[in-house]
Amino acid sequence: MPSRARTTTIIDTPEGRKLLRIHGTIARDIGIRIVSGQFQPGEVLNGEVEASDRLRVSRTAYREAVRILAAKGLVESRPKTGTRVSPRAKWHLLDPDVLSWIFEFEPGDDLLASLFELRKIVEPEAAALAAQRRTEAQVTAMAEALADMTEHTLASPEGRAADQHFHAALLEASGNPFLVTLTSGVGAAVAWTTIFKQRHMPLSRDPIPDHRRVFEAVAAGNAKAAHKAMANLVDMAFLDTTRALPGPADRNAT
Amino acid sequence: MPSRARTTTIIDTPEGRKLLRIHGTIARDIGIRIVSGQFQPGEVLNGEVEASDRLRVSRTAYREAVRILAAKGLVESRPKTGTRVSPRAKWHLLDPDVLSWIFEFEPGDDLLASLFELRKIVEPEAAALAAQRRTEAQVTAMAEALADMTEHTLASPEGRAADQHFHAALLEASGNPFLVTLTSGVGAAVAWTTIFKQRHMPLSRDPIPDHRRVFEAVAAGNAKAAHKAMANLVDMAFLDTTRALPGPADRNAT
DNA sequence: CTGCCTTCATTACTCAGACAAATAAAGATG
DNA sequence: CATCTTTATTTGTCTGAGTAATGAAGGCAG
């Protein structure tokens, strides 16, 4: 028996990506196909046996992948009927993984606009709350992150990490755990597209001053100013992102 | 061998609850213990073998439960170290299941306040967007839901369903899928507490007029009025909920 | 013909036991 | 003392069997 080349299952680990087990990679694969429209809502996936041996994995691994997708609202499985893709209304669109899968394939234009619409609603308010509630330690953390951002630019990984730290500290300062999860997930997904952006055009505009304005307003405890500064920052980020992503991307008009 | 009484595994299905498989019930069990603080972040769960035979289930079922929890960011498992509860910052607090688990055990007072803070930020804006973008069909749907709410009251299951339909239609009208998932999940969790509320006190105030004002503003396409009316509605809902939930609930001060 | 009940076939669900892979910690080596 | 190697433990994966749920087809009365 030639057996399978399973022992050499080197999981596709591009670079800074969290390395996944088999069930993780399969969940990601199918998840991407679902959010990209390759598997339409209502469509039934192949049965466990067929699917698992088409993918050359055990049923166990495949089933765990399906559990993950079901936990994120992408599929629903019942005996006799099989596993079918859920309607889009049931998808947990704000789940970090689902978001990353969406942005993995294509940003999606209208979805991107919706996402920034959400940011525009939430983040300024979060900044305003942070201005009212921030502790000294949080101000210090934001200051350090801002300094790191200034030193390394957004063109470097360190700079992007500093950007993330800045926003994380700000959200932390808002004192609302729901705002933290919401915006951190969204922010991570958007940041992922920023990398694409950097490839196409060097960098349209220096984002540091925008960040500095937000920081100073929060540090000063000026909620109104923080709100305004953050609103401006989101607007600018949206402009940068849309300008960088060229195509009309009309491959599937949902 | 007497075997086990597994054949009589009647899954605990209280009433209107979605009936769960074994892996689902286990995930829910552990999930509730995590969000309620019985399993602290950083703590490692029992090994798969020990845990699975303590629960009298197969390792497969237990593992699928862990996959679900991992998909929701509650745990992280690696070989040799085991499965450990993730820090709260990694939890997907806006996941519908996680939310329901949180509200299953204890509303949580500060968490409840944070949740309504989020609603207060998002829902008025969603109403404003709905006022600008709603189609005739969506207005009709909202009108019907409102009529049903008026007929049956919130004291009846039909009335609560109508309430959900009303808000769902409104969110749909906002044209932003992220707002839909965000608010529908949050709304469902809050609605779940409404049932508790009804048990303790009959009903403090008639919510119909609040809803009617929102509806009329949206139907008229008046974004500002819709924003204001919805803000008022959320405020009232918060007052009702906090007034109904009595205790200081000091059992675990996070 | 219609409506309800029973039977049946299909599918996911659960179980059991074995082996593989990863990795933190202990131990050996320089 | 530092670094490499070994080891033990835990999750990860595979296989094959049997169970439970359920939509659909068929039977039976009205």
Side-chain angles (χ1 to χ4, degrees):
Chain A
M1 186 68 68
S3 84
R4 38 183 39 159
R6 173 57 31 73
T7 41
T8 60
T9 303
I10 303 302
I11 299 143
D12 141 74
T13 160
E15 29 185 72
R17 212 53 97 82
K18 174 182 282 183
L19 74 143
L20 299 176
R21 308 292 187 204
I22 289 189
H23 57 258
T25 59
I26 294 181
R28 181 169 168 276
D29 265 21
I30 302 179
I32 290 179
R33 292 194 189 187
I34 291 176
V35 300
S36 71
Q38 189 172 338
F39 289 148
Q40 293 285 332
E43 192 172 341
V44 293
L45 274 52
N46 296 332
E48 289 180 352
V49 282
E50 183 178 345
S52 59
D53 83 11
R54 178 191 300 270
L55 295 169
R56 300 312 206 65
V57 300
S58 74
R59 269 181 67 210
T60 310
Y62 177 77
R63 278 183 55 79
E64 291 189 3
V66 170
R67 289 277 79 76
I68 294 174
L69 295 175
K72 296 176 184 307
L74 295 183
V75 303
E76 220 163 348
S77 50
R78 312 168 50 182
K80 179 71 179 181
T81 329
T83 300
R84 67 179 57 219
V85 180
S86 300
R88 271 189 49 166
K90 290 194 175 181
W91 298 358
H92 302 177
L93 286 180
L94 292 169
D95 181 286
D97 294 318
V98 175
L99 266 180
S100 80
W101 296 338
I102 290 176
F103 280 83
E104 186 90 13
F105 184 73
E106 56 155 0
D109 245 27
D110 50 342
L111 269 190
L112 193 66
S114 293
L115 198 56
F116 271 92
E117 191 170 80
L118 177 64
R119 293 188 70 182
K120 186 72 186 297
I121 292 173
V122 172
E123 302 208 17
E125 294 288 342
L129 289 176
Q132 295 166 1
R133 300 175 181 168
R134 86 286 183 282
T135 66
E136 281 307 317
Q138 287 159 345
V139 173
T140 307
M142 290 178 65
E144 285 175 358
L146 191 58
D148 286 355
M149 271 184 73
T150 311
E151 182 177 356
H152 327 82
T153 75
L154 276 190
S156 72
E158 294 87 354
R160 285 193 293 272
D163 182 42
Q164 297 282 31
H165 291 157
F166 179 83
H167 287 279
L170 184 138
L171 288 169
E172 177 77 24
S174 78
N176 188 324
F178 295 103
L179 286 176
V180 176
T181 49
L182 173 56
T183 312
S184 70
V186 173
V190 174
W192 177 241
T193 68
T194 306
I195 300 178
F196 279 121
K197 180 174 72 177
Q198 298 292 341
R199 289 183 187 161
H200 293 296
M201 45 172 51
L203 182 56
S204 42
R205 200 179 38 77
D206 183 15
I208 300 289
D210 295 330
H211 283 71
R212 185 168 300 282
R213 270 190 290 276
V214 173
F215 166 72
E216 285 168 357
V218 170
N222 188 337
K224 274 222 177 79
H227 188 287
K228 186 177 173 185
M230 181 59 90
N232 184 59
L233 195 159
V234 174
D235 277 338
M236 292 299 111
F238 182 50
L239 285 180
D240 284 354
T241 307
T242 48
R243 210 184 316 162
L245 295 171
D250 53 346
R251 56 189 117 192
N252 59 345
T254 359
Chain B
M1 188 67 67
S3 80
R4 39 179 45 154
R6 174 56 35 72
T7 39
T8 60
T9 304
I10 303 301
I11 299 142
D12 143 73
T13 161
E15 29 183 76
R17 213 53 99 81
K18 175 184 280 184
L19 77 143
L20 299 175
R21 310 291 186 205
I22 290 188
H23 56 258
T25 59
I26 294 180
R28 180 170 169 275
D29 264 21
I30 302 179
I32 289 178
R33 293 195 188 186
I34 291 176
V35 300
S36 71
Q38 189 172 339
F39 289 148
Q40 292 286 333
E43 191 172 341
V44 292
L45 274 51
N46 294 333
E48 290 180 351
V49 279
E50 183 179 345
S52 59
D53 81 11
R54 177 192 302 270
L55 295 170
R56 300 309 204 66
V57 300
S58 75
R59 227 180 117 212
T60 309
Y62 177 78
R63 276 183 57 79
E64 291 189 3
V66 171
R67 288 278 83 76
I68 294 174
L69 295 174
K72 297 178 184 307
L74 295 183
V75 303
E76 221 163 350
S77 51
R78 312 169 48 184
K80 181 70 178 181
T81 32
T83 300
R84 67 180 57 221
V85 179
S86 301
R88 271 189 50 164
K90 289 194 176 180
W91 297 358
H92 302 175
L93 287 180
L94 293 169
D95 181 286
D97 294 317
V98 175
L99 267 181
S100 80
W101 296 339
I102 290 175
F103 281 84
E104 186 91 12
F105 183 72
E106 55 155 0
D109 244 29
D110 50 343
L111 270 190
L112 193 66
S114 292
L115 198 55
F116 271 92
E117 191 170 82
L118 177 64
R119 293 188 70 183
K120 186 72 187 299
I121 292 173
V122 172
E123 302 206 16
E125 295 287 343
L129 289 177
Q132 296 167 359
R133 299 175 182 168
R134 86 285 182 284
T135 65
E136 282 308 316
Q138 287 158 346
V139 172
T140 306
M142 289 178 65
E144 286 176 359
L146 191 57
D148 285 356
M149 270 184 74
T150 310
E151 183 177 354
H152 326 84
T153 75
L154 275 191
S156 73
E158 295 87 355
R160 286 192 292 271
D163 183 41
Q164 295 282 29
H165 291 158
F166 179 83
H167 287 280
L170 185 138
L171 288 169
E172 178 78 24
S174 79
N176 188 324
F178 296 102
L179 286 176
V180 176
T181 49
L182 172 57
T183 312
S184 70
V186 172
V190 173
W192 178 242
T193 69
T194 306
I195 300 179
F196 281 120
K197 180 175 70 178
Q198 298 292 341
R199 290 184 187 160
H200 294 296
M201 45 172 52
L203 182 56
S204 41
R205 200 180 39 78
D206 183 17
I208 300 288
D210 295 330
H211 284 72
R212 185 168 301 281
R213 271 191 289 276
V214 173
F215 168 72
E216 285 167 358
V218 170
N222 189 335
K224 275 222 177 77
H227 187 287
K228 187 177 173 185
M230 182 59 90
N232 185 59
L233 195 159
V234 173
D235 277 337
M236 292 299 112
F238 182 49
L239 286 180
D240 283 354
T241 307
T242 48
R243 211 184 315 161
L245 294 170
D250 53 347
R251 56 188 119 190
N252 58 345
T254 6

